[in-house]
Amino acid sequence: REVLSKDAAASVNKFQVQGRSHAPSLDVSYAPIAGLAMKFAGQIPKHAFVSAISHTHSVSGSTLGVATFRNAIVYANGDVQTDRDGFVLKGCLRNYDRSSFYNHNRWLNTTLPPRPIPTQHFGTVISVAQRWTAIYHILFDSIARFLTIDPAIRSNKSISVHTKSPPQEGFHQELFELIGIDATRLVTGIVSADVVIVPESNACVFVPTPLIYTLRRTLLAALVHAGTLPPVGSDLSGACQIVHVSRKRGLDQKSMARVIMNEGELVAALTTGLRNCRLVDHDSHKKMTEQLALFSGASAIVGPHGSGFSLMVVSKPGTVVLEYIVQGGYLVYLEMALRLRFRYFSLMPEDSGHYKPMHLDAAMIAKSVELLSSTLAQPYLPPARKNETIP
């Protein structure tokens, strides 16, 4: 308890010790997550580590690792630096190659850059910052990690929450407030703290199943509490609704990434070919509770690869997902769809690329209508799997 401020310690009822070594040099292994043994690579110097105590709670049957640092500086992207060592989060690095996608958290005890001047200092900070600001990364690389912290600690109002996105960004602030974290607790930039608590980061485009389930359960409970969704046990069957996820056109090539140039043709074909379904455009400017409620009631979701698909984390099992993917792209939504028992399909337009616009030819548009129509006509029959339920 001495690692926290007095106010924070007063709210903590228990810590869970994971049997980690207290030797002078620590090799801290995290508990298995969805069959994967996540751990820090290399030896962790004891002088940089407060203790081997984990401030975690059970997440769908698994316990996730949390590192704690004393007298540290946290960079805007979540990396940590003490007097003698640096700690770099695993994940999608700015200058990455494919081999780095599933890399471990790692220590750098070589020559470090000069310690930057922090903009603010705090007693205790929980850092869930990471490198990217899209809603996918805020949901799965920040908020999902935050939910691994023991509730008694994360609910303590004296502990600040360090994030990547500026707090004034609407959806970012809304999502944290939806899980009970007031925007006044959010801090950004380079900060220092007496104690820095860092939940284990995700490998690039890979989110452990327990985190997906925990985030899903938390968001759905928050929507019910807010009155946006009916209470648990209500009849959610209703008219067929297809959520169309669109990407907005920009002024330069990068902002045109994966924009469907003939989107009007696709919308017209879906409207005509699926007369028994209502086609609804996803509006990313609406309140986050409204956006999540839209996806929770979706019969199908269709659109080009992009962060908008991350909201399907609250969709019901059996939801049909049609994603237009690109050559050399990420299959993160395929992985998520399989874990949430969605009926997933993908189509790849010719000459596609992550930062290029798309064009769907007539055959692909017709195939899209056929896939959605035939799949929606079939009742969803969940696979028989023992001891597995979707929250």
Side-chain angles (χ1 to χ4, degrees):
R1 297 187 181 212
E2 71 272 12
V3 304
L4 299 176
S5 65
K6 292 181 179 179
D7 290 340
S11 71
V12 179
N13 296 320
K14 65 179 179 179
F15 286 142
Q16 297 177 352
V17 180
Q18 303 303 318
R20 299 185 174 97
S21 167
H22 288 265
S25 185
L26 298 178
D27 183 3
V28 180
S29 295
Y30 285 161
I33 305 172
L36 298 176
M38 303 289 200
K39 68 176 184 178
F40 286 131
Q43 298 295 303
I44 298 182
K46 188 175 183 180
H47 61 73
F49 213 72
V50 173
S51 70
I53 292 175
S54 173
H55 316 291
T56 68
H57 71 294
S58 178
V59 178
S60 298
S62 298
T63 302
L64 309 177
V66 177
T68 309
F69 306 89
R70 189 190 296 279
N71 300 323
I73 287 178
V74 189
Y75 287 79
N77 63 9
D79 294 342
V80 181
Q81 184 175 337
T82 65
D83 289 335
R84 289 174 281 181
D85 296 276
F87 174 68
V88 179
L89 297 177
K90 65 173 175 274
C92 301
L93 307 180
R94 289 193 178 278
N95 297 311
Y96 62 80
D97 57 43
R98 290 286 176 175
S99 63
S100 73
F101 273 20
Y102 297 94
N103 63 342
H104 293 302
N105 299 304
R106 59 197 186 280
W107 277 89
L108 303 176
N109 48 22
T110 55
T111 303
L112 294 172
R115 283 167 66 94
I117 299 176
T119 58
Q120 301 177 80
H121 180 82
F122 301 92
T124 303
V125 165
I126 299 171
S127 179
V128 289
Q130 36 76 41
R131 290 168 174 78
W132 310 105
T133 58
I135 191 169
Y136 168 84
H137 295 287
I138 297 300
L139 276 172
F140 294 101
D141 293 332
S142 290
I143 290 180
R145 290 170 56 214
F146 180 74
L147 293 174
T148 67
I149 299 289
D150 190 289
I153 297 177
R154 69 174 188 249
S155 62
N156 189 295
K157 295 182 180 179
S158 69
I159 299 178
S160 297
V161 181
H162 180 249
T163 67
K164 171 66 174 180
S165 296
Q168 63 269 23
E169 286 193 7
F171 75 83
H172 174 262
Q173 180 174 315
E174 280 188 75
L175 285 170
F176 272 98
E177 289 182 339
L178 192 59
I179 64 170
I181 303 303
D182 190 89
T184 58
R185 292 179 59 188
L186 302 180
V187 298
T188 61
I190 301 174
V191 303
S192 61
D194 299 332
V195 174
V196 178
I197 301 172
V198 184
E200 180 173 4
S201 60
N202 298 323
C204 184
V205 302
F206 176 83
V207 183
T209 301
L211 263 66
I212 295 176
Y213 285 3
T214 300
L215 178 63
R216 171 185 173 83
R217 183 185 295 109
T218 302
L219 291 175
L220 286 172
L223 292 175
V224 171
H225 180 74
T228 308
L229 290 183
V232 175
S234 302
D235 182 10
L236 299 180
S237 62
C240 174
Q241 179 171 276
I242 299 176
V243 175
H244 171 229
V245 182
S246 180
R247 291 184 62 84
K248 308 303 179 186
R249 301 190 181 202
L251 299 177
D252 54 26
Q253 181 177 354
K254 188 172 182 179
S255 60
M256 292 292 290
R258 305 183 303 285
V259 170
I260 298 178
M261 300 304 292
N262 60 330
E263 190 174 62
E265 296 176 27
L266 173 65
V267 170
L270 293 175
T271 303
T272 303
L274 300 165
R275 295 187 180 277
N276 294 328
C277 296
R278 176 172 173 247
L279 186 67
V280 182
D281 287 326
H282 167 228
D283 186 350
S284 61
H285 294 97
K286 286 190 174 182
K287 289 184 178 181
M288 191 52 59
T289 52
E290 296 180 31
Q291 295 183 53
L292 289 167
L294 174 66
F295 277 78
S296 71
S299 305
I301 304 166
V302 58
H305 174 84
S307 260
F309 272 86
S310 60
L311 298 181
M312 72 183 187
V313 70
V314 298
S315 298
K316 56 185 178 291
T319 299
V320 181
V321 177
L322 174 56
E323 179 185 12
Y324 299 107
I325 60 175
V326 300
Q327 297 178 15
Y330 308 98
L331 298 179
V332 57
Y333 299 118
L334 165 61
E335 292 187 8
M336 190 186 306
L338 294 177
R339 297 178 205 178
L340 293 174
R341 295 185 184 174
F342 297 159
R343 293 177 283 181
Y344 177 91
F345 301 91
S346 65
L347 296 173
M348 183 185 295
E350 291 185 6
D351 193 30
S352 60
H354 193 72
Y355 292 110
K356 297 170 64 175
M358 292 182 175
H359 182 274
L360 309 185
D361 59 29
M364 183 167 290
I365 291 177
K367 181 65 174 177
S368 301
V369 174
E370 189 274 329
L371 278 174
L372 291 171
S373 177
S374 60
T375 308
L376 287 169
Q378 300 297 320
Y380 170 65
L381 299 175
R385 298 177 183 171
K386 294 182 179 180
N387 302 321
E388 182 182 5
T389 59
I390 304 298

